[in-house]
Amino acid sequence: MISKNDSILVFEYFTASGEKDKCIISEAEELIFSLLNDLKDYNIDLVINKSYENTVKEYENVNPILIDENIIDWLKDNAADFNKAIFISAENDNNLYNITKILEENNVKTYTSTSEACFKTSDKFETYESLPITIPQPRSFRFKIDPKGYWKRAIENLHEKWQAEDPLTPLKLIIKPLIGVDCENIVVIENIEDLSYDLENIFPPGSRIIVQEFIKGTDVSVSLISDGKKAIPISLNEQFVELKDEKGTYLGGKIPYESEYKYEAFDIAKNAVEAIDGLRGFVGVDLIINSDEKDVYSVYLLEINSRFTTPYVGLAKIANFNIGKSIIELLDGEISLDDLDISLDGEIEFVKSGESLEIRRA
């Protein structure tokens, strides 16, 4: 029987819902067990799929709630039984926003971003429009793939307009889902003549997409902790992204990443997170360090992830402070951001190989 108490409700979307795709579940498992290790000082009500029954027995502070249904359906029936929650979910199908909204409507205190902040940052164009012009971002526009094919001419017109602003530099475009994660369904258009109706194989009619100017450079991210108003960067992380056959694939990353633009990236990420009310707890900001020395900007912001991201797994191993515990203490008002003395001990590499995510000290 579930009853209200001082414990914290904890879950990760895929491990709770019984996801079978090993490419997804390996990363999901690393995230949830890293969080559990950080929260050993708390009484935890862990919602997890029945297949993990034996795995979670080793945690003395964990009360496992074993389910065999989608976590969102379970939350609709049970969220009101809890006072506090910290969870992990991605933006797919608006899961992050929907879960947060359910918890808020049931008066559950969350140690994650608010639903409004999740909504703004899940939609890449909403993020683009929400940030001040002082934060460098690639030129962006959103489209809907209409069934009659008008989207193709609209993108061609956009390319023509942007190219006219700098006719001497060939313009490449990158097309992404308006709401997506990692490098899911990213398409690079090297030449506008290559834009074809084959794109509808990736984005069927009705899909909403964002079209951006392609900026060549090093893909990085900044991991931060935020109290909802102010944020503090933890690390700059390299992202291994492969562009092959005009498509992007996320292959892993390295923490920390040393760059002469580290503090510029920190400032951009910090200012972006603080510009959107309600971004709380662990937040990731994706950026690119521009390789075009003639450009005005050395670093561009690509998107904000209002949630735990993969670098958290590595940071939990090399950070000199307990990230999960610090988030709870921060949002409970027991400490302030100024109390955090952040440093890292060592390097971590993530390598995505086939169905697994390998994590190793560099």
Side-chain angles (χ1 to χ4, degrees):
M1 181 177 179
I2 302 168
S3 61
K4 280 196 172 186
N5 51 47
D6 290 332
S7 67
I8 301 174
L9 176 66
V10 177
F11 59 88
E12 187 282 325
Y13 178 85
F14 293 112
T15 54
S17 299
E19 172 64 49
K20 302 302 181 186
D21 187 332
K22 291 184 179 180
C23 290
I24 293 175
I25 208 64
S26 62
E27 190 171 342
E29 289 174 347
E30 293 287 354
L31 281 164
I32 187 59
F33 291 119
S34 293
L35 183 58
L36 288 178
N37 288 333
D38 269 1
L39 301 182
K40 286 184 176 179
D41 291 343
Y42 298 91
N43 292 321
I44 300 300
D45 286 320
L46 174 69
V47 185
I48 200 158
N49 186 263
K50 290 180 179 179
S51 59
Y52 291 93
E53 181 175 5
N54 293 328
T55 307
V56 297
K57 285 181 179 178
E58 64 184 80
Y59 293 91
E60 295 181 359
N61 65 318
V62 170
N63 169 43
I65 302 171
L66 306 174
I67 66 171
D68 195 17
E69 61 181 309
N70 183 281
I71 183 63
I72 293 180
D73 294 332
W74 185 88
L75 284 170
K76 288 176 180 177
D77 294 331
N78 296 283
D81 293 321
F82 300 90
N83 290 323
K84 307 172 184 177
I86 185 168
F87 69 93
I88 299 167
S89 177
E91 294 86 353
N92 313 62
D93 301 319
N94 267 325
N95 288 330
L96 179 60
Y97 168 77
N98 290 332
I99 288 171
T100 307
K101 192 68 173 174
I102 291 170
L103 293 171
E104 289 176 348
E105 289 174 346
N106 284 278
N107 299 314
V108 180
K109 178 177 182 177
T110 59
Y111 296 95
T112 52
S113 297
T114 66
S115 60
E116 184 177 354
C118 291
F119 178 82
K120 283 186 178 180
T121 54
S122 294
D123 185 313
K124 294 177 176 63
F125 197 75
E126 286 287 338
T127 305
Y128 176 76
E129 290 196 312
S130 296
L131 295 176
I133 60 172
T134 53
I135 295 175
Q137 299 181 79
R139 287 174 294 184
S140 304
F141 210 87
R142 63 180 163 195
F143 290 95
K144 184 175 183 180
I145 303 295
D146 64 280
K148 293 187 177 181
Y150 296 134
W151 60 266
K152 184 173 183 292
R153 183 56 187 157
I155 294 176
E156 289 171 342
N157 288 339
L158 180 69
H159 180 275
E160 182 179 351
K161 176 184 175 182
W162 284 353
Q163 183 67 82
E165 296 175 14
D166 185 7
L168 299 180
T169 305
L171 176 68
K172 293 165 60 175
L173 298 178
I174 188 164
I175 301 175
K176 312 173 188 177
L178 205 58
I179 299 175
V181 295
D182 292 337
C183 295
E184 177 187 66
N185 292 339
I186 284 182
V187 178
V188 177
I189 305 297
E190 295 273 356
N191 301 294
I192 196 61
E193 292 78 13
D194 297 333
L195 181 66
S196 73
Y197 290 103
D198 290 342
L199 196 67
E200 292 181 359
N201 295 328
I202 301 173
F203 304 108
S207 300
R208 297 187 305 150
I209 60 172
I210 184 169
V211 178
Q212 297 176 314
E213 60 177 323
F214 178 86
I215 295 172
K216 186 177 180 181
T218 303
D219 291 284
V220 298
S221 68
V222 173
S223 299
L224 309 93
I225 289 182
S226 173
D227 62 8
K229 296 294 182 182
K230 298 293 182 183
I232 185 170
I234 305 173
S235 67
L236 178 67
N237 321 307
E238 184 178 11
Q239 295 183 320
F240 303 148
V241 176
E242 179 182 65
L243 291 176
K244 188 176 181 181
D245 298 327
E246 298 181 349
K247 295 181 181 179
T249 305
Y250 173 73
L251 300 176
K254 180 181 177 180
I255 302 172
Y257 176 64
E258 294 303 323
S259 168
E260 62 181 304
Y261 300 109
K262 172 181 176 179
Y263 293 105
E264 185 174 345
F266 275 5
D267 286 343
I268 290 172
K270 173 180 166 65
N271 292 338
V273 171
E274 293 177 352
I276 297 179
D277 287 340
L279 286 173
R280 301 185 310 214
F282 192 94
V283 182
V285 176
D286 292 342
L287 309 106
I288 191 159
I289 297 176
N290 187 10
S291 60
D292 183 358
E293 296 180 355
K294 297 179 182 179
D295 201 337
V296 176
Y297 301 110
S298 301
V299 181
Y300 283 84
L301 182 143
L302 300 179
E303 60 185 85
I304 299 174
N305 300 299
S306 56
R307 55 179 172 84
F308 286 95
T309 55
T310 305
Y312 167 66
V313 176
L315 289 170
K317 299 179 185 298
I318 63 173
N320 72 329
F321 69 108
N322 184 317
I323 297 173
K325 183 178 180 181
S326 295
I327 289 171
I328 290 174
E329 292 177 339
L330 181 68
L331 297 184
D332 277 345
E334 297 174 6
I335 63 171
S336 70
L337 289 173
D338 293 335
D339 294 323
L340 297 177
D341 181 19
I342 294 174
S343 64
L344 306 177
D345 180 17
E347 297 179 349
I348 293 286
E349 281 190 351
F350 302 87
V351 180
K352 213 165 188 179
S353 176
E355 296 178 338
S356 65
L357 179 70
E358 181 183 351
I359 300 170
R360 61 195 181 205
R361 282 190 175 263

